[in-house]
C-alpha cells in the first residue's frame, strides 16, 4: 500500500491549476487501487466466521459490497474520462505497510477475527477501524513534512480533489463502463453522475470523526452513524454493542444492544511470505485460491475493456469460486487438525508490473 | 447414420412423438424448436417483430411433424420432402377441460351437474395431404367447436370455437397450429379462482396425429400406416430462449426410469442443466448477477461450487449447501429439485466423469444448433425440452397425466421411452384436460418462481436498466384474459442482454386510476358512529398511507366499488367502514385474483363494533396453492338493499408515503408541494382538490419542479382558492416494479404553516 499512499500524496502535491486529464486519470487509477486494497483484509476476516447468518458476518459482507461498489465506480469514472482501469496491477502484496508521520508503520494485514469483542489485538480494531478511521484514513500523506495532523490529506480530501478536478475539466464522458445491479453500480454519463459517484464514496467510506464539532456527537437521532460510515459499523463489531442514541445526552454511544461476536476459525495472521511450509495438498488449495483471485481480477479488467454484461457476470461468478475455495481451504486445515489455520493468501498476480512501475516513477518524480 | 434407400423402408414413424404448438392471436406463425436446446427463429428483422406481428399480435408456434421410414435394422430416411412420397395426415383435436376432474383433488368434475357432452369441445378429425410441392394446400381449420354452459336456467351456447388448423409446408410436413388464445364464458360466469373456473372455456387442445404414407418406387406403390403421434396446443412461451431447470423431457425420462448415461456428454446431458440457470436472469430479478459461468464448465472450482448448491432429490431436495437450487415453487415436497436423473448427471460432471464434446469454436454461450442435423430422437426431445417439467401444479403445457404410474409403470403410455407413444385409452383432450381453465387464470397467478421461462417474473425493458414486473398493469386476473398478448417477450439483444420487447400494454392514466364510478362525497359528515367532519377524519388518517376515503350512499341494484391500487411496497391493507346501519351493508374485499373475501373469512382480520367495520389483510396474501396476491387492483364492494349512508377509508402499511407534504398560506391562496423525496417510487404526479362545505372547487394539478425529468421527486403549484377548509391531495404514480398506485392526503388549511 506504500506505493498507493505515495501516489496519492504525490497527486495531491500537484498544484490545482496543473491538474489536467492525465492527473485525473492517474488519480482515479489510484482510487481503484485504494478501494481494492481494503477488500482482501475484510474478506479474510469475514471468512473466519463460521456461520454466515450471523449479524457480524452480514455487516462485514455489506461493507465489502460497498467497497466493491466504490471500486466499480472508480473504474467507471476512469473509463468515462478516457482511461483504462488496470485491476490486476492494482493488487497489493499483504501485509502492506503504510508509512506515516503520525502513526508510523501502520500495517494492513490479513488475519481472522478475534474470538471475543474488545480485544486490543483484534484485526477489526488494528486494521479495519484504522483503515476506515475518519481522522486517519488509509492514505494520509506524510510527505509534505509539516507534521501537523490537519495538513494530512485524508482519503476524503483526495476524493474531494478528484471531484474538483472533474468539475473543473468537465470532460466528455464516454468509455466502456459496467453496471451491476446487485451492488448498485451505475454508469457515468454526465457530470452529475460523476459527482454522485464521488459523493457516495466519500459518504460511505469517510464518515464523520467521533468527537469534536460537526461529528458523531451531534448526529441527530434519526441518523445512525453506522449507516453513514464503515468506521462506526466496524466499531460496533469491535465493541460488541450496537450504537444507540442516548436521548438524555443527545448523542450516539456504543452502548446499545449486544452485537454477538460469532464463533470463528482462528485464522492466523499471514506474514509476507504467506503460509509457512505448507504440505503439498495445502499448497494446492492455496494455489487454487490465488489462481481464482487472479482470475477474478483479470475477469474484471476484461469486463471494463468490453463493457459486456456477461463479462461482468463471469467475474462475479468467479468471486463465488473464491469464497468457496476459501471455505474448502479452511475446512481442509480444520479436518487435518493443523495447529495453525490460514485463509487465502491473496498474492498479487504474477504479471509484468511495468505500468505500475511507470506510474510509481511518475509519482516519485512529482513528489521530488 | 447414412440414409437408407426409400425402397428398403419397412416401417414409418412420425416425429416428434409429441409436438408442441402454442396459441397466438396472430395469423402468422413460426416453427417450434426441432433440435434440443435450439431457440425458435421466427422471421422478423427486429426483436419486436420476431414473436409478434406488425400489429403487435402474438405469432403462433406451429408444431411440425415429419415422417421417417425405417428398415429392418432401425436405420432410417426422412420421407417428408421426397418426391416419391405422399402422406395423408389426420389430426383430431379436443378440449376437455370444462369436463375434467377438479384440480387438484379430483373428487368432483368441473361444472358438476352439467352434461359432459355439452362441456367438451370436440370438433373431430381433419385431414390434409402432404406432398413435395411449391404450393401447399389451403389450411384446414378446426373451427366448429361448441360448448353449452348453463347457470341456473340460463343456457349459453358458445359455438364456432376455433381450436386451430392444419397446414403442410413445401416438403409435405404437417403443421398443426393451435387456437387464438381466446377464452370465453357464460355471461354469468366470473373468474373466481386459479384452476377450475366454472362455465369458462379456452382454446388449448390436444390429440393424435396420424399418417398414412404412400411410397412409389419404380411403379410399385406401398402404403404404410404410422403409429400415431400427438400434438399439444399449449399457452405461449414469453421467454423462448429461457429454459426451465427441469423440462418436460427431463420429467418424462425420470418417470420412465431412464438412467443417466454412464459417461454423460457435456453437450447433450450437462449443457441443458447448466444453461437453464444462465438464462434465468432474463426472467427473474433474483437471478441477476448469478450463474455467470461459461460453457464448457470444466474447471474444478466451478464444478465443486455449483454442485454444492444443487439440492439432492434423494434427500427431499436438501443436502446441498447454502441456498438450494433450483429455487422454484414446489408444493408436493419440501424443496424443489432436479430429477434424480438430472442430479446423477450433475454428480458425474462434478466428479469429472463426462465427455467434453464442446467445440472451442462454439464460444461460451450455446452450440450452433442451426447447423445440427434433424433426427427423429432430436425432434422428440426438442419439443419436450422447451416445456415446463416442474412443478406440475398443474403445469403449463402438460402435467401429471404424463408421468402418472399404475403398478409402478407409466400409466398412460403404450411404449414409453424411447418411442413416447400414448396408450390406446388416451383420447383427444386427455393430456391438457386438467390444466387450469382458462389457462390465463393460472398464468396470472403464477408469478414469482413458478415457471419463469414461459411466464417471466421480472424483466428489464429494452433501453432500461432496472427490473420491473412482467405482468405490470395487468392489474387483476381477468386482465390476463384479454391482455396476455399485449405483454412483452424476453429476448436477447445484439449485445447478449436479456430485454423485454414488443410490449404494448399501456399504464392506466391518472384519470383511470382515480376514477370511482359511484358518487363519493369527500367532505364527510354525520352523527356517530360516522366521522363528524373532515377534520376528525383527517386526524385519524394522519401519518397513514391513505388509499381512498369518502362518504357515499348505497343504491339499490347497484353495488359500489372502491378501487385500491397496491404495489410491491405495501405490507398490510386496512379498510374501515362506518355506518349507523352497518348490518344492512354487504361488504366484500376482492384481491386481484381469487375469490372475494367476506368479513370473517380466513386471512381477513375482521372487527365489527359500534357501527364500525374494520378489515385487515396481510400482504402478500395467500390466495391458494402457493399463489400470492399483492400488487394490482384490489376492490372493496359495498352494497345494501336500500339507501344507506356510509363512510369509507382504506390505508396501507406502506413504504410509499409523502412525509414532506407542505402547503403554505399566502394572501389567502395556498401553494402546495408534494415531496416524493425518500419515497422509493419510480414516478408520480399530484392533484390538489380543495374541499369546502359550500362548494366543490376545481382541482389543480401540480407540475413537476426542476429538470429531473421522468424521475420527478417533487411537484408543486399554486392553488388559487380562499375558502377551502381542507385540501385533498391525490397522488398517482408508479412503483419501482412498475405497478401503478394512488395515495391520498387530507389536510386542514387553517393549520398550515
Amino acid at each position: 500500500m506504500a506505493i498507493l499512499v505515495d501516489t496519492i500524496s504525490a497527486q495531491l502535491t500537484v498544484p490545482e491549476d496543473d491538474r489536467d486529464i492525465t492527473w485525473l486519470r492517474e488519480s482515479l487509477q489510484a482510487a481503484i487501487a485504494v478501494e481494492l486494497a481494503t477488500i482482501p483484509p475484510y474478506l479474510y476476516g469475514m471468512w473466519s466466521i463460521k456461520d454466515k447468518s450471523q449479524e457480524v458476518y452480514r455487516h462485514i459482507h455489506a461493507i465489502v459490497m460497498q467497497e466493491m461498489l466504490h471500486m466499480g465506480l472508480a473504474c467507471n469514472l476512469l473509463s468515462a474520462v478516457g482511461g483504462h482501469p488496470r485491476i490486476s496491477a492494482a493488487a497489493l502484496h499483504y501485509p502492506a505497510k503504510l508509512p506515516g508521520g503520525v502513526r508510523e508503520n501502520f500495517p494492513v494485514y490479513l488475519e481472522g477475527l478475534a474470538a471475543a469483542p474488545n480485544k486490543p489485538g483484534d484485526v477489526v480494531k488494528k486494521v479495519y477501524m484504522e483503515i476506515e478511521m475518519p481522522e486517519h484514513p488509509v492514505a494520509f500523506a506524510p510527505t509534505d513534512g509539516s507534521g501537523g495532523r490537519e495538513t494530512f490529506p485524508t482519503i476524503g480530501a483526495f476524493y474531494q480533489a478528484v471531484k474538483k478536478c472533474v468539475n473543473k475539466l468537465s470532460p466528455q464522458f464516454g468509455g466502456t463502463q459496467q453496471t451491476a445491479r446487485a451492488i448498485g453500480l451505475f454508469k457515468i454519463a454526465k457530470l452529475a453522475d460523476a459527482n454522485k459517484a464521488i459523493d457516495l464514496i466519500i459518504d460511505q467510506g469517510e464518515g464523520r470523526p467521533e468527537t469534536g464539532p460537526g461529528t458523531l456527537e451531534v448526529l441527530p437521532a434519526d441518523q445512525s452513524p453506522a449507516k453513514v460510515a464503515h468506521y462506526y459499523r466496524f466499531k460496533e463489531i469491535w465493541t460488541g454493542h450496537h450504537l444507540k442514541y442516548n436521548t438524555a445526552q443527545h448523542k450516539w454511544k456504543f452502548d446499545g444492544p449486544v452485537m454477538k461476536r460469532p464463533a470463528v476459525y482462528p485464522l492466523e495472521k499471514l506474514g509476507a511470505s504467506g503460509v509457512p511450509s505448507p504440505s503439498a495438498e495445502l499448497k494446492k488449495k492455496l494455489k487454487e485460491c490465488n489462481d481464482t483471485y487472479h482470475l477474478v481480477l483479470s475477469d474484471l479488467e476484461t469486463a471494463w475493456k468490453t463493457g459486456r454484461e456477461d463479462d461482468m457476470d463471469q467475474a462475479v461468478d468467479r468471486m463465488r469460486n473464491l469464497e468457496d475455495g476459501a471455505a474448502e481451504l479452511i475446512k481442509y486445515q480444520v479436518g487435518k487438525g493443523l495447529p495453525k489455520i490460514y485463509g487465502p493468501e491473496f498474492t498479487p498476480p504474477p504479471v509484468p508490473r511495468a505500468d505500475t512501475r511507470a506510474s510509481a516513477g511518475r509519482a516519485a518524480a512529482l513528489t521530488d | 447414420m447414412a440414409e437408407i434407400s426409400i425402397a428398403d423402408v419397412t416401417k414409418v414413424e412420425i416425429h416428434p412423438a409429441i409436438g408442441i404448438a402454442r396459441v397466438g392471436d396472430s395469423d402468422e406463425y413460426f416453427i417450434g424448436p426441432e433440435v434440443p436446446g435450439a431457440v425458435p427463429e421466427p422471421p422478423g428483422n427486429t426483436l419486436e417483430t420476431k414473436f409478434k406481428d406488425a400489429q403487435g399480435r402474438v405469432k403462433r408456434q406451429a408444431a411440425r411433424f415429419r415422417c421417417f421410414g425405417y428398415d429392418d435394422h432401425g436405420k432410417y430416411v426422412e420421407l417428408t420432402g421426397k418426391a416419391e412420397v405422399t402422406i395423408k395426415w389426420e389430426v383430431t383435436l379436443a378440449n376437455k377441460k370444462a369436463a375434467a376432474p377438479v384440480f387438484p383433488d379430483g373428487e368432483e368434475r368441473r361444472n358438476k351437474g352439467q352434461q359432459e357432452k355439452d362441456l367438451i369441445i370436440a370438433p373431430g378429425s381433419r385431414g390434409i395431404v402432404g406432398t413435395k410441392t411449391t404450393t401447399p394446400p389451403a389450411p384446414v381449420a378446426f373451427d366448429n367447436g361448441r360448448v353449452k354452459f348453463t347457470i341456473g336456467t340460463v343456457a349459453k351456447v358458445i359455438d364456432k370455437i376455433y381450436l386451430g388448423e392444419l397446414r403442410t409446408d413445401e416438403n409435405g410436413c404437417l403443421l398443426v397450429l393451435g387456437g387464438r388464445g381466446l377464452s370465453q364464458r357464460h355471461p354469468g360466469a366470473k373468474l373466481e379462482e386459479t384452476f377450475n373456473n366454472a362455465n369458462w372455456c379456452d382454446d388449448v387442445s390436444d390429440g393424435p396425429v396420424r399418417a398414412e404414407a404412400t411410397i412409389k418406387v419404380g411403379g410399385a406403390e406401398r402404403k404404410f400406416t404410422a403409429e400415431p403421434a400427438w400434438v399439444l396446443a399449449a399457452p405461449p412461451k414469453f421467454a423462448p430462449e429461457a429454459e426451465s431447470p427441469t423440462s418436460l423431457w427431463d420429467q418424462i425420462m425420470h418417470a420412465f426410469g431412464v438412467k443417466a448415461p454412464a459417461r454423460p456428454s457435456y453437450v447433450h446431458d450437462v449443457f441443458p442443466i447448466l444453461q437453464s440457470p444462465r438464462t434465468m436472469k432474463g426472467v427473474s430479478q433474483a437471478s441477476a448477477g448469478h450463474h455467470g459461468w461459461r460453457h464448457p464448465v470444466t474447471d474444478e472450482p466451478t464444478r465443486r461450487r455449483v454442485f454444492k448448491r444443487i439440492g439432492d432429490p434423494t434427500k427431499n431436495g436438501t443436502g446441498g449447501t447454502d441456498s438450494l437450487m433450483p429455487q422454484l415453487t414446489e408444493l408436493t415436497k419440501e424443496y424443489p429439485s432436479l430429477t434424480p436423473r438430472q442430479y446423477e448427471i450433475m454428480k458425474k460432471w462434478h466428479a469429472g466423469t463426462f465427455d467434453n464434446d464442446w467445440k472451442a469454436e462454439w464460444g461460451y454461450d450455446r452450440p450452433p444448433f442451426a447447423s445440427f442435423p434433424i433426427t427423429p430422437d432430436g425432434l422428440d426431445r426438442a419439443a419436450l425440452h422447451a416445456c415446463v417439467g416442474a412443478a406440475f401444479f398443474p403445469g403449463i403445457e402438460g402435467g401429471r397425466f404424463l408421468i402418472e404410474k399404475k403398478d409402478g409403470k407409466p400409466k398412460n403410455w403404450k411404449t414409453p421411452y424411447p418411442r413416447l407413444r400414448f396408450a390406446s385409452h388416451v383420447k383427444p383432450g386427455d393430456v391438457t384436460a386438467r390444466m387450469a381453465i382458462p389457462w390465463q387464470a393460472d398464468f396470472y397467478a403464477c408469478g414469482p418462481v413458478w415457471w419463469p421461462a414461459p411466464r417471466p417474473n421480472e424483466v428489464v425493458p429494452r433501453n432500461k436498466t432496472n427490473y420491473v414486473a412482467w405482468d405490470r398493469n395487468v392489474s387483476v386476473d381477468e386482465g390476463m384474459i384479454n391482455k396476455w398478448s399485449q405483454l412483452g417477450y424476453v429476448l436477447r439483444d445484439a449485445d447478449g442482454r436479456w430485454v423485454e420487447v414488443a410490449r404494448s400494454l399501456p399504464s392506466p392514466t391518472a384519470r383511470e386510476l382515480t376514477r370511482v364510478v359511484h358518487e363519493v362525497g369527500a367532505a364527510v359528515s354525520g352523527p356517530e358512529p360516522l366521522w363528524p367532519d373532515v377534520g376528525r377524519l383527517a386526524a385519524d388518517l394522519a401519518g397513514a398511507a391513505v388509499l381512498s376515503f369518502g362518504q357515499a350512499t348505497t343504491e339499490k341494484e347497484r353495488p359500489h366499488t372502491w378501487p385500491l391500487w397496491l404495489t410491491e411496497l405495501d405490507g398490510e391493507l386496512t379498510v374501515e367502514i362506518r355506518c349507523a346501519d352497518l348490518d344492512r351493508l354487504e361488504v366484500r374485499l376482492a384481491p386481484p385474483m381469487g375469490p372475494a373475501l367476506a368479513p370473517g373469512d380466513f386471512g381477513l382480520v375482521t372487527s365489527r363494533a359500534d357501527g364500525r367495520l374494520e378489515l385487515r389483510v396481510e400482504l402478500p396474501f395467500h390466495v391458494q396453492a402457493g399463489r400470492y396476491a399483492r400488487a394490482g387492483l384490489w376492490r372493496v364492494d359495498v352494497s345494501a338493499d336500500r339507501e344507506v349512508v356510509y363512510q369509507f377509508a382504506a390505508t396501507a402499511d406502506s413504504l410509499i408515503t409523502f412525509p414532506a407534504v407542505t402547503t403554505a398560506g399566502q394572501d389567502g391562496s395556498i401553494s402546495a408541494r408534494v415531496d416524493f423525496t425518500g419515497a422509493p417510487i419510480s414516478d408520480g404526479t399530484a392533484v390538489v382538490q380543495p374541499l369546502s362545505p359550500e362548494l366543490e372547487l376545481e382541482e389543480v394539478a401540480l407540475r413537476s419542479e426542476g429538470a429531473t425529468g421522468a424521475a420527478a421527486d417533487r411537484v408543486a403549484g399554486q392553488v388559487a382558492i380562499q375558502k377551502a377548509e381542507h385540501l385533498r391531495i391525490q397522488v398517482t404514480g408508479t412503483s419501482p416494479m412498475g405497478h401503478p398506485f394512488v395515495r391520498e392526503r387530507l389536510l386542514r388549511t387553517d393549520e398550515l404553516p
Side-chain angles (χ1 to χ4, degrees):
Chain A
M1 206 170 271
I3 292 167
L4 273 183
V5 176
D6 287 346
T7 307
I8 289 175
S9 305
Q11 292 295 87
L12 288 172
T13 60
V14 175
E16 255 186 63
D17 287 350
D18 297 345
R19 293 175 187 171
D20 55 9
I21 191 77
T22 308
W23 182 92
L24 181 61
R25 288 173 189 157
E26 284 172 358
S27 296
L28 288 168
Q29 176 62 38
I32 292 168
V34 166
E35 302 300 343
L36 173 61
T38 62
I39 295 172
Y42 296 168
L43 287 179
Y44 197 97
M46 186 174 88
W47 289 337
S48 71
I49 298 170
K50 290 180 175 175
D51 176 3
K52 284 186 185 181
S53 67
Q54 292 290 313
E55 184 178 21
V56 170
Y57 183 97
R58 286 185 281 116
H59 277 4
I60 300 178
H61 188 264
I63 290 170
V64 169
M65 289 295 172
Q66 286 189 344
E67 299 296 354
M68 288 182 182
L69 168 62
H70 300 170
M71 183 179 135
L73 288 171
C75 289
N76 274 354
L77 282 162
L78 177 53
S79 260
V81 300
H84 302 285
R86 296 189 312 279
I87 297 170
S88 294
L92 292 182
H93 189 99
Y94 298 94
K97 286 199 188 291
L98 281 184
V102 176
R103 292 168 306 131
E104 234 169 290
N105 298 328
F106 155 54
V108 175
Y109 54 83
L110 308 177
E111 188 179 13
L113 263 55
N118 275 312
K119 300 282 181 199
D122 191 353
V123 69
V124 178
K125 179 160 180 60
K126 298 278 276 187
V127 178
Y128 304 174
M129 283 165 61
E130 289 292 338
I131 287 176
E132 303 282 357
M133 190 182 284
E135 294 142 305
H136 311 289
V138 69
F140 49 93
T143 49
D144 70 349
S146 73
R149 185 168 119 173
E150 294 76 15
T151 64
F152 293 126
T154 62
I155 195 84
F158 167 64
Y159 276 113
Q160 290 292 2
V162 169
K163 186 178 171 186
K164 210 165 179 179
C165 182
V166 172
N167 284 275
K168 181 184 84 176
L169 300 176
S170 191
Q172 196 70 42
F173 294 101
T176 52
Q177 300 186 40
Q178 279 289 352
T179 55
R181 292 183 190 95
I183 56 172
L185 177 60
F186 56 87
K187 291 189 179 179
I188 311 297
K190 52 186 190 295
L191 200 54
D193 299 332
N195 285 327
K196 184 174 149 196
I198 299 170
D199 287 345
L200 192 146
I201 297 172
I202 294 171
D203 286 352
Q204 290 181 343
E206 175 76 339
R208 297 162 182 241
E210 269 188 90
T211 54
T215 62
L216 181 58
E217 299 198 317
V218 298
L219 218 53
D222 59 356
Q223 209 178 338
S224 168
K227 285 195 179 132
V228 176
H230 296 167
Y231 173 81
Y232 299 102
R233 183 68 67 84
F234 280 134
K235 191 162 179 183
E236 284 185 321
I237 294 171
W238 183 66
T239 60
H241 284 278
H242 283 266
L243 273 163
K244 187 183 166 195
Y245 192 72
N246 184 313
T247 42
Q249 296 176 23
H250 300 290
K251 62 181 175 186
W252 287 90
K253 297 181 81 175
F254 290 93
D255 59 1
V258 167
M259 185 180 288
K260 193 181 146 214
R261 178 62 66 112
V264 293
Y265 298 108
L267 296 192
E268 295 288 327
K269 181 169 165 181
L270 265 173
S273 50
V275 174
S277 22
S279 66
E281 184 63 21
L282 182 55
K283 207 168 182 172
K284 194 180 145 207
K285 292 189 184 302
L286 288 164
K287 182 176 183 304
E288 185 203 294
C289 290
N290 282 323
D291 289 348
T292 304
Y293 175 52
H294 302 160
L295 284 169
V296 168
L297 299 176
S298 63
D299 285 348
L300 285 170
E301 200 159 307
T302 301
W304 259 278
K305 276 184 190 143
T306 65
R308 284 182 65 96
E309 192 177 285
D310 54 3
D311 282 329
M312 187 60 150
D313 284 350
Q314 190 189 27
V316 173
D317 202 58
R318 204 95 77 177
M319 291 176 200
R320 298 195 171 96
N321 281 359
L322 185 57
E323 180 185 26
D324 183 62
E328 288 286 323
L329 172 69
I330 294 165
K331 193 173 97 186
Y332 170 78
Q333 296 171 88
V334 171
K336 285 273 171 195
L338 298 182
K340 290 187 172 180
I341 301 168
Y342 295 87
E345 295 168 313
F346 290 100
T347 58
V351 291
R353 307 285 296 271
D355 287 358
T356 313
R357 274 201 298 277
S359 74
R362 185 186 140 97
L366 288 166
T367 315
D368 294 339
Chain B
M1 192 183 291
E3 276 201 352
I4 60 166
S5 159
I6 286 184
D8 296 336
V9 168
T10 59
K11 187 179 74 169
V12 172
E13 286 184 8
I14 308 167
H15 290 276
I18 299 173
I20 305 294
R22 295 185 187 278
V23 302
D25 55 349
S26 171
D27 288 335
E28 295 179 33
Y29 63 89
F30 60 92
I31 308 293
E34 297 192 304
V35 170
V39 182
E41 282 296 337
N45 296 327
T46 64
L47 290 184
E48 278 74 13
T49 55
K50 281 183 89 132
F51 287 89
K52 288 196 180 180
D53 65 18
Q55 284 76 46
R57 295 174 302 201
V58 169
K59 294 182 189 176
R60 286 180 286 175
Q61 174 174 307
R64 176 154 66 186
F65 292 89
R66 303 165 190 252
C67 278
F68 292 83
Y70 287 75
D71 68 10
D72 292 335
H73 310 288
K75 292 182 177 174
Y76 64 83
V77 59
E78 183 177 345
L79 299 177
T80 29
K82 295 281 192 289
E84 304 93 321
V85 178
T86 300
I87 298 168
K88 265 176 70 182
W89 297 100
E90 189 189 85
V91 177
T92 312
L93 292 181
N95 173 316
K96 286 184 170 174
K97 284 182 169 185
V102 164
F103 186 87
D105 58 25
E107 283 163 20
E108 290 185 348
R109 204 196 64 195
R110 289 170 178 164
N111 295 302
K112 191 182 164 194
Q114 301 191 44
Q115 293 219 23
E116 188 176 75
K117 69 174 176 54
D118 290 339
L119 302 172
I120 294 175
I121 307 170
S125 302
R126 298 289 187 278
I128 195 164
V129 175
T131 53
K132 191 169 174 61
T133 172
T134 49
T135 51
V140 181
F142 294 83
D143 54 3
N144 61 338
R146 177 186 187 276
V147 286
K148 186 168 110 183
F149 293 127
T150 308
I151 299 180
T153 56
V154 183
K156 164 73 179 174
V157 172
I158 302 170
D159 58 7
K160 295 182 184 157
I161 296 172
Y162 169 93
L163 290 186
E165 65 192 44
L166 306 184
R167 293 167 176 258
T168 74
D169 67 9
E170 291 80 358
N171 285 323
C173 297
L174 172 69
L175 304 180
V176 184
L177 277 71
R180 302 288 189 188
L182 177 64
S183 295
Q184 303 181 76
R185 62 171 153 181
H186 187 291
K190 286 181 184 160
L191 204 62
E192 285 178 318
E193 57 121 278
T194 306
F195 311 120
N196 305 295
N197 288 288
N199 300 300
W200 276 84
C201 65
D202 64 21
D203 60 5
V204 311
S205 63
D206 69 270
V209 175
R210 296 187 167 84
E212 189 184 88
T214 306
I215 301 179
K216 278 186 196 166
V217 181
E221 185 177 292
R222 294 184 299 152
K223 278 194 194 311
F224 297 90
T225 301
E227 193 174 7
W230 210 267
V231 64
L232 304 187
K237 182 177 180 184
F238 283 93
E241 197 172 341
E243 305 202 352
S244 302
T246 293
S247 72
L248 196 47
W249 190 83
D250 293 316
Q251 198 60 261
I252 289 174
M253 290 304 102
H254 167 55
F256 293 168
V258 180
K259 295 269 177 287
R263 195 173 171 83
S265 140
Y266 189 87
V267 175
H268 298 289
D269 302 310
V270 176
F271 165 80
I273 303 173
L274 292 179
Q275 181 68 355
S276 168
R278 291 184 81 238
T279 67
M280 280 300 113
K281 72 171 181 173
V283 289
S284 161
Q285 184 174 25
S287 299
H290 291 269
H291 320 137
W293 53 75
R294 292 176 169 193
H295 300 294
V297 184
T298 57
D299 68 290
E300 208 227 323
T302 310
R303 280 188 286 124
R304 185 183 66 221
R305 191 244 320 165
V306 171
F307 184 71
K308 276 185 193 172
R309 299 291 294 270
I310 302 173
D312 182 347
T314 66
K315 295 176 182 164
N316 192 25
T318 66
T321 57
D322 300 318
S323 45
L324 296 164
M325 292 291 154
Q327 292 199 326
L328 292 176
T329 304
E330 174 61 282
L331 296 175
T332 54
K333 51 188 172 182
E334 192 173 355
Y335 295 98
S337 58
L338 298 176
T339 67
R341 183 178 186 274
Q342 288 182 296
Y343 189 73
E344 188 63 25
I345 290 168
M346 285 286 94
K347 218 163 158 179
K348 290 178 186 239
W349 166 73
H350 170 228
T353 311
F354 64 98
D355 286 326
N356 181 13
D357 44 1
W358 187 274
K359 295 197 168 61
E361 64 265 29
W362 294 351
Y364 58 81
D365 185 31
R366 53 170 53 244
F369 290 117
S371 67
F372 280 28
I374 303 275
T375 65
D377 290 352
L379 288 169
D380 292 353
R381 182 174 173 182
L384 297 172
H385 177 80
C387 298
V388 169
F392 284 158
F393 208 93
I396 289 266
E397 295 90 356
R400 304 204 68 80
F401 181 89
L402 296 163
I403 58 169
E404 274 170 336
K405 288 186 182 171
K406 193 179 173 187
D407 305 328
K409 289 181 180 160
K411 180 181 163 192
N412 297 315
W413 300 80
K414 176 183 167 199
T415 47
Y417 186 73
R419 299 188 44 73
L420 296 168
R421 307 290 155 162
F422 285 121
S424 58
H425 70 260
V426 177
K427 301 297 180 208
D430 280 353
V431 184
T432 54
R434 298 194 70 195
M435 300 292 99
I437 180 166
W439 63 268
Q440 290 98 332
D442 198 24
F443 220 66
Y444 179 74
C446 288
V449 297
W450 274 96
W451 310 298
R455 192 270 188 227
N457 297 163
E458 300 91 19
V459 297
V460 179
R462 202 176 199 182
N463 303 322
K464 294 278 169 60
T465 53
N466 291 322
Y467 280 93
V468 288
W470 175 74
D471 65 358
R472 61 199 186 280
N473 297 330
V474 173
S475 305
V476 290
D477 51 5
E478 287 221 40
M480 191 62 89
I481 301 289
N482 301 319
K483 295 176 181 170
W484 62 272
S485 69
Q486 292 168 263
L487 290 163
Y489 269 76
V490 180
L491 303 172
R492 283 206 270 185
D493 70 9
D495 292 326
R497 280 183 300 248
W498 295 88
V499 290
E500 183 202 40
V501 297
R503 183 186 155 91
S504 60
L505 183 58
S507 311
T509 62
R511 278 265 171 254
E512 286 163 343
L513 289 172
T514 55
R515 185 163 175 264
V516 181
V517 175
H518 59 272
E519 198 168 311
V520 178
V524 302
S525 67
E528 280 282 335
L530 299 177
W531 278 293
D533 54 56
V534 178
R536 289 286 295 280
L537 177 61
D540 277 6
L541 297 182
V546 182
L547 303 168
S548 188
F549 66 87
Q551 183 165 313
T553 305
T554 56
E555 301 154 73
K556 266 192 215 168
E557 312 289 323
R558 185 167 170 242
H560 286 176
T561 293
W562 298 78
L564 307 173
W565 293 91
L566 292 173
T567 74
E568 78 280 7
L569 300 176
D570 301 322
E572 186 182 63
L573 169 64
T574 304
V575 173
E576 183 172 350
I577 290 176
R578 295 190 174 196
C579 180
D581 206 358
L582 194 56
D583 290 342
R584 286 212 173 271
L585 294 186
E586 189 170 325
V587 179
R588 294 286 180 276
L589 174 63
M593 60 181 174
L597 305 168
D601 276 358
F602 184 77
L604 187 61
V605 182
T606 306
S607 65
R608 181 195 284 267
D610 307 327
R612 295 175 193 178
L613 172 68
E614 190 188 85
L615 305 172
R616 253 184 320 119
V617 61
E618 280 288 339
L619 305 181
F621 174 70
H622 185 243
V623 177
Q624 67 182 125
R627 276 75 166 175
Y628 292 85
R630 184 174 208 151
L633 175 58
W634 292 65
R635 268 181 11 234
V636 177
D637 295 330
V638 181
S639 56
D641 57 4
R642 66 170 72 168
E643 290 191 356
V644 180
V645 175
Y646 69 99
Q647 294 172 336
F648 178 94
T651 57
D653 178 4
S654 177
L655 291 177
I656 305 177
T657 54
F658 306 97
V661 171
T662 56
T663 59
Q666 196 178 43
D667 303 334
S669 74
I670 294 158
S671 84
R673 167 172 291 180
V674 178
D675 194 338
F676 299 122
T677 314
I681 61 171
S682 174
D683 58 72
T685 54
V687 160
V688 177
Q689 297 171 315
L691 303 184
S692 162
E694 295 93 56
L695 69 168
E696 289 283 332
L697 292 154
E698 250 181 61
E699 64 182 37
V700 178
L702 301 185
R703 293 179 303 275
S704 281
E705 274 191 337
T708 47
D713 60 0
R714 187 171 293 144
V715 290
Q718 287 282 323
V719 185
I721 49 103
Q722 309 206 349
K723 286 182 184 166
E725 286 172 8
H726 291 88
L727 294 178
R728 175 184 198 153
I729 300 181
Q730 206 169 43
V731 172
T732 55
T734 311
S735 73
M737 292 309 289
H739 298 296
F741 64 80
V742 180
R743 293 293 185 272
E744 311 231 22
R745 266 183 102 82
L746 188 53
L747 298 172
R748 277 183 80 97
T749 55
D750 59 0
E751 286 174 355
L752 296 176

